[in-house]
Amino acid sequence: MKKILILGGGFGGVFLAKKLYRASRKNFDIELISDNNYFVFQPLLPEVASGAINAEDAVSPLRKLLKGVKFRNAEIKDINLKNRKVLVLQGFRKRSHWIHFDHLVIALGQESNLDIVKGLREHAFTIRNLKDAYNIRNHILSCLELADVTKDQLLKKRLLNFVVIGGGFSGVETIGEIKEMVDRVINYYPNIHSEELQFHIVEYANRLLPELDETLGKYTKKVFLENKIIVHCESALLEVTGTGVYLDNEKIINTNTIISTIGSTVSKLISQSKFKLNKGKIITNENLQVSGYKNIWALGDCALVPNKKENEEKKIKTYAPPTAQFAVRQSQFLAENLMLLESQKKLKPFKYQSKGSLASLGSRKGIGKIYGITVRGLFAWIIWRAFYLSFLPSFSTKIRVLLGWMLEFI
């Protein structure tokens, strides 16, 4: 059997392994390698941080998800393209092992790049994994605890100022969930009054959610202002310190809580490889083959994949955006192409039109566009939850999350 080695345990890698195993396990020896032994459903991390759902609802053990598929929990150290093997470090002593492959699939996603602004790496939280969500939640609760007892009014003001950098999907969902979390628990702190709390979201563009229509950005701002969230648009981030955020309009936000949802970069493994990169991503053809190779493939956030569907409609070369929706769809195309290649048949070009984009704004309100139709408010919030529920990789997780959401709604 041909050995297919998949690097990465995110949406692209996991859904590809599941699809290949179901469709062609007699023809392929499939192995997935990840430095985590669990799958993280990143769109739900803001809700984990706020305590709206339990941590186990946003993660699933990879061995449980990938029944029948070989899984190796290891650090990927090097890729030897000439000899078709990958070097991994595993175990307590980080011993090295070379793993051979016939086909290599790279689905490593991207990493946070906090070096884009002075002080961001040292003083800002990110929200990319379960540890980040825990850290944010614990930090916010610690701020409330200290603010409830301190006599230092300047310190209290900083402790009760919460800032999210980035007004895209992740940013608006994060600030919305944090606001809801603090609103839920503030009654337990007798020395903190609601008017002392301040929530800020900072965006470089002239509106929130610049990926969507301008009307949706305006609606999001309206909802935030009604919910007493301060919006800073057309604001460039100059510097971050342990006690403040400095913007280009000479505005300073005094705070001890800074959460960054901006800045992504390619992993060190990919940047040090011999792959051709563009915009920090591996260049692939329309079949998801890495440029210059027939047996090396890439998908998801780490890949720059041409989208033939939009190329045909817009008459310009466009690429698949880095979203879970597209990563899952790419995994389906890639599974089919691997089987077609082994059957010596013509490969299929990646061709997909987005079903839409959605964001939760907190307070049971959402925003988005589905099949070209604008949705907002409670209806959009319900669709957002149903949409992401459909992407959860196991039935038991779907039921658990659905029950939790129903109890919250009641």
Side-chain angles (χ1 to χ4, degrees):
M1 292 191 295
K2 292 291 181 70
K3 175 77 172 186
I4 297 181
L5 197 59
I6 303 171
L7 307 183
F11 280 97
V14 168
F15 279 84
L16 171 64
K18 289 168 68 72
K19 175 77 174 178
L20 276 175
Y21 182 76
R22 287 196 301 263
S24 194
R25 59 178 173 269
K26 294 181 180 179
N27 300 320
F28 295 129
D29 175 16
I30 308 162
E31 182 171 353
L32 186 144
I33 303 175
S34 174
D35 56 359
N36 289 319
N37 63 0
Y38 54 86
F39 169 87
V40 181
F41 192 75
Q42 287 188 325
L44 292 181
L45 287 178
E47 296 200 46
V48 175
S50 71
I53 63 172
N54 295 321
E56 59 266 27
D57 296 333
V59 299
S60 298
L62 282 172
R63 292 187 182 276
K64 181 180 178 181
L65 290 177
L66 302 173
K67 292 178 180 178
V69 176
K70 290 181 182 178
F71 169 70
R72 189 184 299 255
N73 182 204
E75 178 186 348
I76 304 161
K77 193 66 177 178
D78 190 25
I79 301 174
N80 188 322
L81 298 173
K82 182 179 180 181
N83 296 315
R84 295 188 177 188
K85 57 184 182 179
V86 170
L87 178 65
V88 301
L89 303 179
Q90 62 185 48
F92 293 114
R93 298 185 179 180
K94 296 291 183 181
R95 291 182 174 175
S96 60
H97 299 268
W98 285 101
I99 305 172
H100 172 267
F101 64 82
D102 293 300
H103 291 279
L104 179 67
V105 179
I106 303 169
L108 292 170
Q110 290 198 310
E111 300 176 355
S112 295
N113 179 17
L114 298 181
D115 296 323
I116 55 177
V117 175
K118 183 180 178 182
L120 201 61
R121 178 174 295 280
E122 293 79 11
H123 304 292
F125 293 93
T126 58
I127 187 159
R128 286 181 173 268
N129 54 48
L130 201 57
K131 182 180 178 181
D132 291 341
Y134 276 130
N135 288 342
I136 290 171
R137 177 175 171 78
N138 291 336
H139 172 80
I140 291 174
L141 291 175
S142 295
C143 287
L144 295 177
E145 293 291 344
L146 182 54
D148 189 56
V149 298
T150 185
K151 302 298 182 182
D152 185 335
Q153 292 305 307
L154 291 177
L155 173 60
K156 187 176 184 180
K157 183 177 181 179
R158 289 203 312 271
L159 291 168
L160 299 180
N161 261 4
F162 305 97
V163 182
V164 171
I165 308 298
F169 288 101
S170 182
V172 299
E173 290 175 354
T174 299
I175 194 68
E177 285 298 328
I178 287 173
K179 177 67 166 59
E180 274 201 73
M181 169 191 168
V182 176
D183 286 346
R184 284 199 307 269
V185 302
I186 195 63
N187 289 336
Y188 297 104
Y189 297 90
N191 298 317
I192 300 176
H193 305 289
S194 58
E195 60 268 18
E196 294 178 288
L197 296 164
Q198 286 197 348
F199 302 86
H200 304 259
I201 183 167
V202 179
E203 169 56 38
Y204 179 75
N206 62 359
R207 58 188 173 89
L208 297 175
L209 295 173
E211 305 93 335
L212 297 177
D213 292 346
E214 185 175 354
T215 54
L216 297 181
K218 289 181 177 179
Y219 175 79
T220 302
K221 183 177 180 180
K222 176 176 176 290
V223 170
F224 279 176
L225 294 179
E226 290 174 350
N227 205 23
K228 298 181 180 179
I229 296 174
I230 303 169
V231 177
H232 306 267
C233 288
E234 295 185 282
S235 298
L237 191 62
L238 297 181
E239 184 180 356
V240 169
T241 68
T243 58
V245 171
Y246 295 80
L247 306 179
D248 64 344
N249 52 12
E250 298 185 356
K251 184 173 182 61
I252 302 173
I253 305 173
N254 296 310
T255 180
N256 287 108
T257 306
I258 304 158
I259 304 170
S260 175
T261 65
I262 63 173
S264 296
T265 187
V266 66
S267 70
K268 290 181 180 179
L269 181 69
I270 293 175
S271 64
Q272 294 170 359
S273 70
K274 297 180 180 179
F275 298 127
K276 293 180 181 178
L277 304 180
N278 183 8
K279 301 177 182 178
K281 297 189 176 186
I282 301 173
I283 300 173
T284 75
N285 60 19
E286 290 182 339
N287 305 320
L288 287 97
Q289 290 170 309
V290 173
S291 178
Y293 301 91
K294 289 186 177 181
N295 68 323
I296 313 292
W297 314 73
L299 75 163
D301 292 5
C302 70
L304 194 65
V305 180
N307 186 1
K308 189 175 180 180
K309 179 70 175 178
E310 293 194 1
N311 292 350
E312 291 173 345
E313 294 179 353
K314 298 180 180 179
K315 306 299 181 182
I316 57 173
K317 193 165 187 177
T318 57
Y319 299 93
T323 65
Q325 181 183 166
F326 273 82
V328 171
R329 189 59 176 169
Q330 287 167 14
S331 70
Q332 296 169 351
F333 269 81
L334 181 46
E336 291 179 22
N337 278 341
L338 282 164
M339 291 184 285
L340 289 171
L341 186 65
E342 291 305 308
S343 303
Q344 298 183 340
K345 295 180 181 179
K346 186 178 179 181
L347 304 184
K348 292 183 177 181
F350 179 69
K351 189 175 182 179
Y352 181 66
Q353 186 170 12
S354 172
K355 292 181 174 65
S357 299
L358 292 158
S360 170
L361 307 180
S363 302
R364 296 180 182 176
K365 290 184 179 179
I367 195 75
K369 214 164 192 178
I370 303 295
Y371 296 109
I373 301 173
T374 298
V375 290
R376 61 182 68 181
L378 177 62
F379 181 59
W381 181 79
I382 293 173
I383 294 177
W384 173 85
R385 295 213 158 185
F387 181 72
Y388 278 119
L389 192 68
S390 70
F391 275 102
L392 289 175
S394 72
F395 181 75
S396 59
T397 303
K398 290 179 181 180
I399 295 299
R400 193 167 61 243
V401 173
L402 179 59
L403 289 174
W405 281 344
M406 289 174 65
L407 289 172
E408 177 194 347
F409 189 79
I410 293 171

